Amino acid sequence: MGRPTLFLTVGLPCTGKTTAARRIEIERKALRLTKDEWVKALYGPENPPVAGDVIEGRLIQIGLRALALGTNVVIDYGLWDRNERSALRQAAVDLGARAELCYFALTPSAQRRRRDQRQAEAPHTTWPMSDAELVEWATRMDIPTPGELDGSEPIDGPPAGFTTWDEWRSHRWPPSVH
């Protein structure tokens, strides 16, 4: 058995991350951890940001444990921030696993079409998203570099104020809702 892989889905809402994560789950026998499914199950129509961060952190803990046990894992969130991706890439390396980024991008018009289709066909799986929110979120996205995507670029060190990526992960994904 080869080294397990941590698959990281990267992209804005409605770009195909969950569809791809479901395919990876089956094709690569990976544990799929989809934040939106957990937030929906626990909070229904609400989408509290702090709770979402805690859920992400808990799912990451589960994912890293599964990775340590030799199971492929797919983290199905946006991972818009390069620091998030670097922290998870480093965690995979620390566990002797591989990390593979899967980046999804669509034109704004295609993204809006997918959003509208999802809202019409499966509103229970999503939250309303305005055009203005989609535009604003796009400005916050750190688009992965080619070297980040193919794994040839070294993993960044943790941001100022943090000595390790583990420390940063604990800060970014708090253990409980405050």
Side-chain angles (χ1 to χ4, degrees):
M1 185 166 83
R3 293 186 313 164
T5 301
L6 177 63
F7 297 94
L8 304 174
T9 62
V10 179
L12 293 167
C14 306
T15 56
K17 296 180 307 295
T18 299
T19 299
R22 287 181 177 132
R23 188 185 72 251
I24 292 167
E25 173 185 32
I26 292 166
E27 291 175 359
R28 301 294 300 271
K29 296 178 177 35
L31 173 64
R32 179 176 56 87
L33 299 169
T34 301
K35 177 185 97 170
D36 289 354
E37 292 174 357
W38 284 84
V39 174
K40 276 291 187 182
L42 293 170
Y43 294 96
E46 302 298 317
N47 189 9
V50 173
D53 290 346
V54 171
I55 290 169
E56 283 183 13
R58 293 295 175 160
L59 294 177
I60 288 167
Q61 288 177 339
I62 292 166
L64 295 179
R65 179 65 181 138
L67 204 63
L69 294 171
T71 301
N72 291 331
V73 174
V74 57
I75 300 287
D76 179 23
Y77 325 149
L79 299 171
W80 301 349
D81 187 85
R82 182 179 171 104
N83 286 332
E84 293 172 334
R85 300 187 302 266
S86 294
L88 295 173
R89 288 173 62 208
Q90 186 63 57
V93 168
D94 291 347
L95 292 170
R98 296 181 309 124
E100 186 175 315
L101 272 65
C102 307
Y103 175 57
F104 301 89
L106 290 175
T107 64
S109 61
Q111 184 187 20
R112 286 191 305 275
R113 274 195 307 278
R114 289 179 63 115
R115 176 210 51 201
D116 295 345
Q117 180 180 5
R118 182 190 303 171
Q119 196 63 52
E121 295 175 2
H124 62 284
T125 67
T126 191
W127 294 271
M129 293 175 252
S130 70
D131 289 350
E133 286 174 313
L134 294 177
V135 169
E136 193 270 323
W137 293 335
T139 67
R140 294 179 19 208
M141 174 80 188
D142 290 332
I143 296 172
T145 64
E148 191 181 5
L149 289 170
D150 70 15
S152 65
E153 192 173 294
I155 299 170
D156 300 331
F162 298 93
T163 56
T164 67
W165 278 117
D166 285 339
E167 181 185 349
W168 185 89
R169 278 198 327 267
S170 295
H171 173 77
R172 167 61 185 89
W173 293 292
S176 63
V177 176
H178 298 99

